[in-house]
Amino acid sequence: MSAATRITVSGEQPYDVVVGEGLLGELPALVGDGVQRVLVVHPKALRATGEAVRDDLAGQGFEAYVAEVPDAEEAKTAQVAAFLWGVLGQAGFTRSDALVGVGGGAVTDLTGFVAATWLRGVRVVHVPTTLAAMVDAAVGGKTGINTSDGKNLVGSFHPPAGVLCDLTTLETLPRNDFVAGLAEVVKCGFIADPVILDVVEADPARATDWRSASTRDLVERSVRVKADVVGQDLREAGLREVLNYGHTFGHAVEHVERFGWRHGAAVSVGLVYAAELARLAGRLDDATTQRHVDVLRSLGLPTTYRQDRWEQLLSAMRRDKKARGDLLRFVVLEGVGRPVRLEGPDPSLLHAAYAELGAEEDR
Ligand SMILES: NC(=O)c1ccc[n+]([C@@H]2O[C@H](COP(=O)([O-])OP(=O)(O)OC[C@H]3O[C@@H](n4cnc5c(N)ncnc54)[C@H](O)[C@@H]3O)[C@@H](O)[C@H]2O)c1
Ligand SMILES: O=C(O)C(=O)C[C@@H](O)[C@H](O)[C@H](O)COP(=O)(O)O
Ligand SMILES: [Zn+2]
């Protein structure tokens, strides 16, 4: 087993993202010395893992509790957050106590949000167990829940005290979920680290196998991209928007599909939409646009979308957090590693990019 890699995220209170295998032994130290009570939050699918983590913490002298939440997006609701606030209240959690999120991005978003809001902010440590959570959701302190109007509409910035990416937890992750996480990896490749694209293109089948040698490389590269950005702009005053590449359309797809699509699958289509929009706006060349389609398709990710949902998608995109009043704003590329903003594109351009998603099947 090779040594763990530590990637430091800078900021007011710097923290490490640790990537490796068999890392759970590090959790008690990350939870912290002065902490008395810990609540471990896990999804239904990870009951045994969540309970094992709680038992380990109890064995280390913490007053450890466990709370099970629904799988996937069903966890990211005000009702589930209120359930967790109730657990914390009943157990008497104070400002010197902590939460631990064990699960995919849905659980780390929810747990981070509850930690941010309980007593106006308590310590949180994340143990991401999906690829998307390791490379993206657990890092950077963006927390949130959904409302009936859209994705992550309620949330806050609340960085964790540490993140443990134990790659062995991926063993039980369904292949589709692993592949969905690769969309965020590819996003990092297009916005900042072209080597990621080279690694995927060299052997897409290897990239979809969590056991392969490329997994750790892709995780570490993606975490470095994210750590670099959020270390400079935690609150998304500007630079951080690049991490939202592909998400304006992607989040609209998730909303229109009533969260029946995995986030990564929706982001995949969203990346193609953003590339087409940039191409039609004269910002991006044909070859780089086609590269989006090719690399995502080679991984088995979706690159097309049904053509009868434009009004719903447009209305959902108006609730994107990058919008300002009636002005829609997109992250687009002028080349690989060269993200820029496209503000208020002509409505005909927005629709033309959507139409390309129907035409993709012919490519
Ligand atoms: N905050 C951020 O910066 C950020 C970044 C990316 C994604 N996200 C959010 O993360 C969510 C998507 O995350 P995701 O792709 O991890 O999906 P997810 O959290 O919905 O997990 C997918 C499914 O896998 C299950 N699961 C998790 N780990 C498992 C394991 N090791 N073995 C077996 N099953 C397991 C979950 O219970 C769930 O059913 C979305 O809500 C998205 O908005 C947030
Ligand atoms: O960390 C960020 O910033 C991101 O935008 C990363 C995204 O992959 C992630 O899905 C995020 O939750 C989207 O944020 P939102 O502000 O569009 O809700
Ligand atoms: Zn995302």
Coordinates of all heavy atoms in Angstrom, one line a residue, residues 248-259 261 269 273 304-319 350-355 357-358:
T248 N -24.7 25.0 -15.5 CA -25.9 25.8 -15.7 C -26.9 25.0 -16.4 O -28.1 24.8 -16.0 CB -25.5 27.1 -16.6 OG1 -24.3 27.7 -16.1 CG2 -26.7 28.1 -16.6
F249 N -26.5 24.3 -17.5 CA -27.4 23.4 -18.2 C -27.6 22.1 -17.4 O -28.7 21.5 -17.3 CB -26.9 23.1 -19.6 CG -27.9 22.4 -20.5 CD1 -28.9 23.2 -21.2 CD2 -27.9 21.1 -20.6 CE1 -29.8 22.5 -22.0 CE2 -28.8 20.4 -21.4 CZ -29.8 21.1 -22.1
G250 N -26.5 21.6 -16.8 CA -26.5 20.4 -16.0 C -27.5 20.4 -14.9 O -28.3 19.5 -14.7
H251 N -27.5 21.4 -14.1 CA -28.5 21.5 -13.0 C -29.9 21.7 -13.5 O -30.9 21.2 -12.9 CB -28.2 22.8 -12.1 CG -27.1 22.5 -11.1 ND1 -26.5 23.5 -10.4 CD2 -26.5 21.4 -10.7 CE1 -25.6 23.0 -9.6 NE2 -25.6 21.7 -9.8
A252 N -30.1 22.3 -14.7 CA -31.4 22.4 -15.3 C -31.9 21.0 -15.7 O -33.1 20.7 -15.5 CB -31.4 23.4 -16.5
V253 N -31.0 20.2 -16.2 CA -31.4 18.8 -16.6 C -31.8 18.1 -15.3 O -32.9 17.4 -15.3 CB -30.3 18.1 -17.3 CG1 -30.5 16.6 -17.4 CG2 -30.0 18.7 -18.7
E254 N -31.0 18.2 -14.2 CA -31.4 17.5 -13.0 C -32.8 17.9 -12.5 O -33.6 17.1 -12.1 CB -30.4 17.8 -11.9 CG -29.1 17.1 -12.0 CD -28.2 17.3 -10.8 OE1 -28.4 16.6 -9.8 OE2 -27.3 18.2 -10.8
H255 N -33.1 19.2 -12.6 CA -34.4 19.7 -12.2 C -35.5 19.2 -13.1 O -36.5 18.6 -12.6 CB -34.4 21.2 -12.1 CG -35.6 21.8 -11.5 ND1 -36.5 22.5 -12.2 CD2 -36.1 21.7 -10.3 CE1 -37.5 22.9 -11.4 NE2 -37.3 22.4 -10.2
V256 N -35.3 19.3 -14.4 CA -36.3 18.8 -15.3 C -36.6 17.3 -15.2 O -37.7 16.8 -15.3 CB -35.9 19.2 -16.8 CG1 -36.8 18.5 -17.8 CG2 -36.0 20.7 -16.9
E257 N -35.5 16.6 -14.9 CA -35.6 15.1 -14.7 C -36.0 14.7 -13.3 O -35.9 13.6 -12.9 CB -34.3 14.4 -15.1 CG -33.8 14.6 -16.5 CD -34.8 13.9 -17.5 OE1 -35.4 12.9 -17.1 OE2 -34.8 14.3 -18.7
R258 N -36.4 15.7 -12.5 CA -36.8 15.5 -11.1 C -35.8 14.7 -10.3 O -36.1 13.8 -9.6 CB -38.2 14.8 -11.0 CG -39.3 15.6 -11.6 CD -40.5 14.8 -11.8 NE -41.5 15.5 -12.7 CZ -42.4 16.3 -12.3 NH1 -42.6 16.5 -11.0 NH2 -43.3 16.9 -13.1
F259 N -34.5 15.0 -10.5 CA -33.4 14.4 -9.8 C -33.3 12.9 -10.1 O -32.7 12.2 -9.3 CB -33.4 14.7 -8.3 CG -33.4 16.2 -8.1 CD1 -34.4 16.9 -7.5 CD2 -32.3 16.9 -8.5 CE1 -34.4 18.2 -7.3 CE2 -32.2 18.3 -8.3 CZ -33.3 19.0 -7.7
W261 N -31.7 11.8 -12.7 CA -30.4 11.6 -13.3 C -29.4 11.8 -12.2 O -29.5 12.7 -11.4 CB -30.1 12.6 -14.4 CG -30.7 12.4 -15.7 CD1 -32.0 11.8 -16.0 CD2 -30.1 12.6 -17.0 NE1 -32.1 11.8 -17.4 CE2 -31.0 12.2 -18.0 CE3 -28.9 13.2 -17.4 CZ2 -30.7 12.4 -19.3 CZ3 -28.6 13.3 -18.7 CH2 -29.5 12.9 -19.7
V269 N -23.8 16.2 -20.0 CA -24.6 16.9 -21.0 C -24.3 18.4 -20.9 O -24.2 19.1 -22.0 CB -26.1 16.5 -20.9 CG1 -26.9 17.3 -21.9 CG2 -26.3 15.0 -21.1
Y273 N -23.2 21.1 -23.7 CA -24.0 22.3 -24.0 C -23.1 23.5 -23.9 O -23.1 24.4 -24.8 CB -25.1 22.4 -23.0 CG -26.0 23.6 -23.3 CD1 -27.0 23.6 -24.2 CD2 -25.7 24.8 -22.5 CE1 -27.7 24.8 -24.5 CE2 -26.5 26.0 -22.8 CZ -27.5 25.9 -23.7 OH -28.2 27.1 -24.0
T304 N -26.1 13.7 -25.2 CA -27.3 14.2 -26.0 C -28.4 14.4 -25.0 O -28.4 13.9 -23.9 CB -27.7 13.2 -27.0 OG1 -28.1 12.0 -26.3 CG2 -26.6 12.8 -28.0
Y305 N -29.4 15.2 -25.5 CA -30.6 15.4 -24.6 C -31.8 15.6 -25.4 O -31.8 16.1 -26.5 CB -30.3 16.6 -23.7 CG -31.3 16.6 -22.5 CD1 -31.4 15.6 -21.6 CD2 -32.3 17.6 -22.4 CE1 -32.3 15.5 -20.6 CE2 -33.2 17.6 -21.4 CZ -33.3 16.6 -20.5 OH -34.2 16.6 -19.5
R306 N -32.9 15.1 -24.8 CA -34.2 15.2 -25.5 C -34.5 16.6 -26.0 O -34.1 17.6 -25.3 CB -35.3 14.7 -24.6 CG -35.5 15.4 -23.3 CD -36.4 14.7 -22.4 NE -37.8 14.6 -22.9 CZ -38.8 13.9 -22.4 NH1 -38.6 13.2 -21.3 NH2 -40.0 13.9 -22.9
Q307 N -35.3 16.8 -27.1 CA -35.4 18.1 -27.7 C -36.8 18.7 -27.4 O -37.2 19.7 -28.0 CB -35.2 17.9 -29.2 CG -33.7 17.7 -29.5 CD -32.9 19.0 -29.2 OE1 -33.1 20.0 -29.7 NE2 -31.9 18.8 -28.2
D308 N -37.5 18.2 -26.4 CA -38.9 18.8 -26.1 C -39.0 19.4 -24.8 O -40.0 19.4 -24.2 CB -39.9 17.7 -26.3 CG -39.7 16.5 -25.4 OD1 -38.6 16.5 -24.7 OD2 -40.5 15.6 -25.3
R309 N -37.9 19.9 -24.2 CA -37.9 20.4 -22.9 C -37.3 21.9 -22.7 O -36.9 22.3 -21.7 CB -37.2 19.5 -21.9 CG -37.9 18.2 -21.6 CD -39.1 18.4 -20.7 NE -39.8 17.2 -20.4 CZ -40.7 16.6 -21.1 NH1 -41.1 17.1 -22.3 NH2 -41.3 15.5 -20.7
W310 N -37.3 22.6 -23.9 CA -36.5 23.8 -23.8 C -37.0 24.9 -22.8 O -36.3 25.5 -22.1 CB -36.4 24.5 -25.2 CG -35.7 25.8 -25.2 CD1 -36.1 27.0 -25.7 CD2 -34.3 26.0 -24.7 NE1 -35.1 27.9 -25.5 CE2 -34.0 27.3 -24.9 CE3 -33.4 25.1 -24.2 CZ2 -32.8 27.9 -24.5 CZ3 -32.1 25.7 -23.8 CH2 -31.9 27.0 -24.0
E311 N -38.4 25.1 -22.8 CA -38.9 26.1 -21.9 C -38.6 25.8 -20.4 O -38.2 26.7 -19.7 CB -40.4 26.3 -22.1 CG -40.8 26.9 -23.5 CD -40.0 28.2 -23.7 OE1 -39.8 29.0 -22.8 OE2 -39.6 28.5 -24.9
Q312 N -38.8 24.5 -20.1 CA -38.5 24.1 -18.7 C -37.0 24.3 -18.3 O -36.6 24.8 -17.3 CB -38.8 22.7 -18.4 CG -40.3 22.4 -18.5 CD -40.7 21.8 -19.9 OE1 -40.3 22.4 -20.9 NE2 -41.5 20.8 -20.0
L313 N -36.1 24.0 -19.3 CA -34.7 24.1 -19.1 C -34.3 25.6 -18.9 O -33.5 25.9 -18.0 CB -33.9 23.4 -20.2 CG -34.0 21.9 -20.3 CD1 -33.5 21.4 -21.7 CD2 -33.1 21.3 -19.2
L314 N -34.8 26.4 -19.8 CA -34.5 27.8 -19.8 C -35.0 28.4 -18.4 O -34.2 29.2 -17.8 CB -35.2 28.5 -21.0 CG -34.8 30.0 -21.2 CD1 -33.3 30.1 -21.3 CD2 -35.5 30.5 -22.4
S315 N -36.1 28.0 -18.0 CA -36.6 28.6 -16.8 C -35.8 28.1 -15.6 O -35.5 28.9 -14.7 CB -38.1 28.3 -16.7 OG -38.5 27.8 -15.4
A316 N -35.3 26.9 -15.6 CA -34.4 26.4 -14.5 C -33.1 27.1 -14.6 O -32.5 27.4 -13.6 CB -34.3 24.9 -14.7
M317 N -32.6 27.3 -15.8 CA -31.3 28.0 -15.9 C -31.3 29.4 -15.4 O -30.3 30.0 -14.9 CB -30.8 28.0 -17.4 CG -30.3 26.6 -17.9 SD -29.2 26.7 -19.3 CE -30.4 27.1 -20.6
R318 N -32.5 30.0 -15.4 CA -32.6 31.4 -14.8 C -32.4 31.4 -13.3 O -32.2 32.5 -12.7 CB -34.0 32.0 -15.2 CG -34.2 32.2 -16.7 CD -35.3 33.2 -17.0 NE -35.4 33.3 -18.5 CZ -34.5 33.9 -19.3 NH1 -33.5 34.5 -18.7 NH2 -34.7 34.0 -20.6
R319 N -32.5 30.2 -12.7 CA -32.3 30.2 -11.2 C -30.8 29.8 -10.9 O -30.5 29.5 -9.7 CB -33.3 29.2 -10.6 CG -34.7 29.8 -10.6 CD -35.7 29.0 -9.8 NE -36.0 27.7 -10.5 CZ -37.0 27.6 -11.3 NH1 -37.8 28.7 -11.6 NH2 -37.3 26.5 -11.9
L350 N -28.7 30.4 -27.3 CA -28.9 29.5 -26.3 C -29.7 28.3 -26.8 O -29.5 27.1 -26.5 CB -29.8 30.1 -25.1 CG -29.0 31.2 -24.3 CD1 -30.0 31.9 -23.3 CD2 -27.9 30.5 -23.5
H351 N -30.7 28.6 -27.7 CA -31.5 27.5 -28.2 C -30.8 26.7 -29.2 O -30.9 25.5 -29.3 CB -32.8 28.1 -28.8 CG -33.8 27.0 -29.2 ND1 -33.8 26.4 -30.5 CD2 -34.7 26.3 -28.5 CE1 -34.6 25.5 -30.5 NE2 -35.2 25.4 -29.3
A352 N -29.9 27.4 -30.0 CA -29.1 26.7 -31.0 C -28.2 25.7 -30.4 O -28.0 24.5 -30.9 CB -28.4 27.7 -31.9
A353 N -27.6 26.0 -29.2 CA -26.7 25.1 -28.5 C -27.5 23.9 -28.1 O -27.1 22.7 -28.1 CB -26.0 25.8 -27.4
Y354 N -28.8 24.1 -27.6 CA -29.7 23.0 -27.2 C -30.0 22.1 -28.4 O -29.9 20.9 -28.2 CB -30.9 23.7 -26.6 CG -32.0 22.7 -26.3 CD1 -31.9 21.6 -25.4 CD2 -33.3 22.8 -26.9 CE1 -32.9 20.8 -25.1 CE2 -34.3 22.0 -26.5 CZ -34.1 20.9 -25.7 OH -35.1 20.1 -25.3
A355 N -30.2 22.7 -29.5 CA -30.5 21.9 -30.7 C -29.3 21.0 -31.1 O -29.5 19.9 -31.6 CB -30.9 22.8 -31.9
L357 N -27.5 19.4 -29.1 CA -27.6 18.2 -28.2 C -28.4 17.1 -28.8 O -28.2 16.0 -28.5 CB -28.1 18.6 -26.8 CG -27.2 19.5 -26.0 CD1 -27.9 19.8 -24.7 CD2 -25.8 19.0 -25.8
G358 N -29.4 17.5 -29.7 CA -30.2 16.6 -30.4 C -29.4 16.0 -31.6 O -29.5 14.8 -31.9

